């Protein structure tokens, strides 16, 4: 068979049923091999849309996401999605076409050094140089993307190798047994736990990657340890857990941030002490010892020293720690913090109040539904005010913070989970980044729901300009936005615009009950900010709040 046929055959044999992409000259043999193949291809309207659709597919299922692009600009358009997958540890396989091997290095039409360009934003990258290497490279790439700490892998295939007759040799993975929990480190951890009076579990995205939600909840329910979550981990701790404090960090809840600052032991479970979590690192959990659980040893001690480290699959390491019960006095303090700093939804104005709208949406949508966010104020409001029962139900661009992520990610999630409701929540800035993917929704009749929170501003940037740049509002005015409902209607997508609080309930009902795609365009106050906020250089308990302004 040809190299192109071998690729499609291997994808099918490895359980890949859907791929996303956009054809072009250097990848045409692969698209020819797709014709009539058992692998279904979804044509997006931009290669970045294909990359993010594959990310959404992977994050909503835990399966390998796959995307195709041609050489040159096709491949460069995938780079942002690769970086996003790298920073959020998403299993992604990107296949790019390349100019024929004889033309490489000659500045041929649409020739770009994709291998060199991708090295910093992939777990591994390949350029296939010989036809006889193709089978091994493809099999190894699929394995690498999904093994250990997942991540994106790129395979660049010259056009002549796609057309060549290639041999197939089964590739056997080396024995890559995962690291085992160190008995000595478990002893250290048990000692720290036995002495702790104010422990807190700091839960990260590694819980989803390890499929370890069950082990996490067993640990929490046995120990009664208070828990805080990163943006990517939301949904790992079930919302009805009594001592769940929600998200911590720059826009985390006050109770979560105060608890971490007051704790004497921080049990880090699959998290990496990201700067948006820690604020001033020197002041972050300064009273606490650290137990760090992770599969990647490079993360331990990278930003904060750990007194005990359990390097292993979280399914194996978490159960090692369920050996104590949290002090009742600390739990009483946690309960008081939750009551004192509970979110309020009694907004006094007549305008649409975004936190209340999102909280209502969370209550009315199925608990199996998926919410895909873009980046900005709406992203933080979703994290604060919506509840999730699994981390695969909350897709948000965490490490990269990519505007334009939400709509194509929702497409991938909807294709991966056709029986579940998928909603993208976006802002009027972010939605325009990949608005062309409305055509993908229309072509495939995908029932994706779209909520646009429209303040006619780049809201998060405007908020920082207000607070830290003396109200010099440079290039954040989006008052010339299009009519989003009319724009969606061009693609055959119905919807409505709301401007007042008394319209919210009926509008959410219409969105949730719609059988096909639907857009809800909610106009909100352009001066509304996200609170609380940890300002630059401050500790997490030095939060700015709305009351203080």
């Amino acid at each position: 068979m040809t190299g192109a046929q071998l690729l499609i055959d291997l994808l099918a044999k490895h359980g890949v049923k859907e791929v996303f992409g956009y054809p072009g000259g250097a990848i045409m043999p692969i698209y020819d091999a797709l014709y009539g193949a058992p692998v279904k291809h979804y044509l997006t309207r931009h290669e970045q849309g294909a990359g993010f659709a594959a990310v959404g597919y992977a994050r909503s299922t835990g399966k390998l996401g796959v995307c195709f692009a041609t050489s040159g600009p096709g491949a460069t358009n995938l780079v942002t999605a690769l970086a996003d997958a790298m920073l959020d540890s998403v299993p992604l396989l990107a296949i790019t076409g390349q100019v024929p091997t004889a033309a490489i290095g000659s500045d041929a039409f649409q020739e770009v050094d994709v291998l060199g360009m991708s090295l910093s934003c992939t777990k591994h990258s390949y350029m296939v140089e010989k036809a006889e290497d193709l089978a091994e490279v493809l099999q190894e790439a699929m394995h690498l993307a999904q093994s250990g700490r997942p991540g994106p892998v790129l395979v660049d295939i010259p056009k002549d190798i796609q057309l060549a007759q290639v041999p197939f040799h089964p590739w056997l993975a080396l024995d890559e047994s995962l690291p085992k929990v160190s008995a000595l480190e478990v002893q250290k951890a048990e000692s720290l736990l036995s002495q702790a009076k104010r422990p807190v579990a700091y839960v990260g995205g590694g819980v989803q990657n390890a499929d370890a939600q069950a082990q996490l909840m067993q640990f929490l329910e046995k120990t009664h340890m208070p828990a805080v979550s990163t943006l990517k981990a939301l949904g790992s701790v079930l919302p009805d857990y009594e001592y769940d404090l929600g998200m911590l960090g720059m826009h985390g809840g006050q109770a979560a941030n105060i608890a971490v600052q007051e704790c004497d032991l921080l049990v880090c479970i699959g998290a990496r002490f990201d700067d948006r979590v820690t604020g001033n690192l020197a002041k972050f959990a300064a009273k606490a010892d650290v137990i760090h659980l992770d599969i990647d040893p490079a993360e331990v001690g990278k930003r904060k020293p750990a007194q005990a480290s359990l390097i292993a699959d979280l399914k194996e390491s978490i159960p090692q720690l369920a050996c104590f019960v949290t002090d009742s006095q600390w739990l009483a303090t946690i309960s008081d913090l939750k009551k004192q700093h509970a979110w309020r939804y009694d907004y006094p104005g007549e305008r649409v109040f975004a936190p209340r709208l999102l909280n209502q949406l969370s209550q009315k949508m199925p608990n199996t539904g998926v919410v895909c966010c873009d980046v900005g104020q709406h992203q933080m409001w979703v994290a604060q005010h919506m509840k999730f029962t699994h981390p695969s139900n909350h897709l948000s661009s965490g490490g990269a913070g990519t505007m334009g992520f939400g709509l194509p990610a929702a497409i991938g999630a909807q294709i991966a989970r056709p029986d579940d409701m998928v909603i993208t929540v976006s802002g009027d800035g972010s939605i325009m980044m990949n608005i062309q993917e409305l055509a993908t929704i229309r072509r495939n009749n995908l029932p994706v729901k779209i909520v646009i929170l429209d303040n006619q501003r780049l809201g998060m940037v405007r908020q920082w300009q207000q607070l830290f740049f003396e109200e010099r509002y440079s290039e954040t005015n989006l008052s010339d936005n299009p009519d989003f409902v009319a724009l969606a209607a061009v693609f055959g997508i119905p919807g409505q615009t709301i401007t007042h609080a008394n319209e919210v309930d009926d509008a959410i009902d219409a969105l949730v009950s719609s059988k096909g795609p639907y857009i809800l365009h909610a106009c909100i106050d352009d001066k509304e900010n996200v609170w609380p906020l940890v300002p630059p250089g401050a500790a997490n308990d030095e939060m700015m709040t709305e009351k203080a302004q």
Side-chain angles (χ1 to χ4, degrees), residues 461-538:
V461 181
R462 182 212 59 78
Q463 178 172 339
W464 277 61
Q465 289 173 340
Q466 175 192 340
L467 298 175
F468 308 118
F469 290 88
E470 299 179 355
E471 300 185 10
R472 294 193 296 273
Y473 298 117
S474 176
E475 301 303 320
T476 50
N477 188 315
L478 301 181
S479 57
D480 55 352
N481 280 327
D483 181 333
F484 290 111
V485 173
L487 181 60
V490 173
F491 293 92
I493 299 173
Q496 63 174 304
T497 295
I498 60 173
T499 58
H500 289 83
N502 60 10
E503 300 173 287
V504 168
D505 287 353
D506 289 344
I508 292 175
D509 288 341
L511 177 90
V512 172
S513 63
S514 62
K515 300 301 182 186
Y518 192 90
I519 184 168
L520 173 56
H521 174 224
C523 299
I524 64 174
D525 191 334
D526 63 356
K527 297 180 179 60
E528 199 65 49
N529 288 332
V530 180
W531 303 110
L533 164 65
V534 178

Side-chain angles (χ1 to χ4, degrees), residues 309-320:
S309 57
L310 277 62
I311 309 301
D313 189 311
L314 293 180
K315 280 186 174 179
E316 302 298 324
S317 59
I318 293 174
Q320 302 288 327

Side-chain angles (χ1 to χ4, degrees), residues 22 43-52 77 404-405 407-408 411 430-443 487 491 493:
Y22 202 97
L43 177 71
T44 57
R45 297 308 174 97
H46 191 287
E47 291 90 354
Q48 187 181 106
F52 282 136
N77 282 341
F405 172 89
L407 190 59
I411 289 170
S430 286
I431 194 67
M432 294 295 285
M433 293 279 186
N434 274 311
I435 193 74
Q436 77 283 341
E437 299 309 331
L438 291 175
T440 307
I441 291 174
R442 168 67 184 274
R443 166 177 284 212
L487 181 60
F491 293 92
I493 299 173

Side-chain angles (χ1 to χ4, degrees), residues 285-444:
K287 304 173 184 178
D289 288 321
V290 173
I291 301 172
H292 197 155
L293 288 69
D294 209 294
I295 197 169
D296 186 355
E299 290 297 343
V300 177
K302 185 175 79 173
R303 283 179 46 82
K304 191 171 179 67
Q307 282 65 50
S309 57
L310 277 62
I311 309 301
D313 189 311
L314 293 180
K315 280 186 174 179
E316 302 298 324
S317 59
I318 293 174
Q320 302 288 327
L321 299 183
C323 60
F324 78 108
V325 176
T326 303
D327 184 86
S328 60
Q329 191 171 352
W330 176 233
L331 294 180
T333 299
I334 293 298
S335 296
D336 289 342
L337 282 173
K338 287 186 70 171
K339 292 175 185 175
Q340 182 181 351
H341 299 291
W343 300 111
R344 294 186 59 177
Y345 300 105
D346 51 345
Y347 186 68
E350 297 180 358
R351 302 289 297 273
V352 174
F353 184 46
R356 182 183 181 276
L357 182 152
L358 294 169
N359 184 257
Q360 291 291 100
L361 176 60
S362 184
Q363 293 178 40
K364 292 188 176 186
M365 68 181 287
N367 62 13
T368 56
V370 180
V371 174
C372 302
C373 279
D374 270 303
V375 170
Q377 289 179 315
H378 63 277
Q379 179 191 32
M380 294 297 100
W381 283 323
V382 166
Q384 292 173 342
H385 303 290
M386 299 190 77
K387 302 295 183 185
F388 303 97
T389 57
H390 195 274
S392 63
N393 295 341
H394 172 244
L395 310 188
S396 195
S397 176
T402 310
M403 294 175 70
F405 172 89
L407 190 59
I411 289 170
Q414 188 70 82
I415 289 167
R417 294 167 56 175
D419 297 328
D420 289 327
M421 181 176 292
V422 177
I423 301 172
T424 185
V425 178
S426 188
D428 50 309
S430 286
I431 194 67
M432 294 295 285
M433 293 279 186
N434 274 311
I435 193 74
Q436 77 283 341
E437 299 309 331
L438 291 175
T440 307
I441 291 174
R442 168 67 184 274
R443 166 177 284 212
N444 297 286

Side-chain angles (χ1 to χ4, degrees), residues 30-82:
I30 289 174
Y31 274 82
D32 184 66
L34 268 172
Y35 194 84
V39 176
K40 181 171 176 55
H41 178 274
Y42 288 88
L43 177 71
T44 57
R45 297 308 174 97
H46 191 287
E47 291 90 354
Q48 187 181 106
F52 282 136
V55 169
Y57 183 98
R59 286 187 56 177
S60 63
T61 60
K63 298 178 181 178
L64 180 68
V66 180
C67 56
F68 293 168
T70 193
S71 64
T76 62
N77 282 341
L78 282 182
V79 168
T80 302
L82 292 173

Side-chain angles (χ1 to χ4, degrees), residues 178-302:
L178 294 173
K180 299 296 183 183
V181 179
S182 162
L184 177 60
E185 293 299 315
V186 171
Q187 279 187 331
K188 292 179 183 178
E190 288 177 341
S191 176
L192 291 168
L193 287 165
S194 67
Q195 298 172 47
K197 299 297 183 184
R198 302 184 305 280
V200 168
Y202 158 37
V203 181
V207 171
Q208 181 187 5
N209 290 338
D211 190 24
Q213 186 188 40
Q215 288 76 13
L216 173 68
M217 288 310 305
Q218 288 168 8
F219 167 73
L220 293 176
E221 287 164 356
K222 184 173 181 180
T223 64
H224 298 167
M225 188 182 289
V228 298
S229 298
T230 66
L231 177 69
K232 188 167 179 271
L234 291 174
S236 299
V237 181
L238 292 176
D240 59 357
Y241 176 60
E242 184 176 0
Y243 303 110
D244 176 30
L245 295 170
M247 188 174 71
L248 81 163
M250 179 176 286
H251 289 292
Q254 288 178 268
N257 281 337
I258 292 170
V260 170
Q261 293 302 95
E262 291 300 318
C263 76
D264 64 358
L265 179 65
L266 191 65
V267 182
C268 175
I269 304 175
R272 56 189 180 92
F273 294 92
D274 178 78
D275 60 290
R276 288 298 177 100
V277 162
T278 64
N280 186 317
L281 183 60
K283 298 180 179 179
F284 178 72
K287 304 173 184 178
D289 288 321
V290 173
I291 301 172
H292 197 155
L293 288 69
D294 209 294
I295 197 169
D296 186 355
E299 290 297 343
V300 177
K302 185 175 79 173

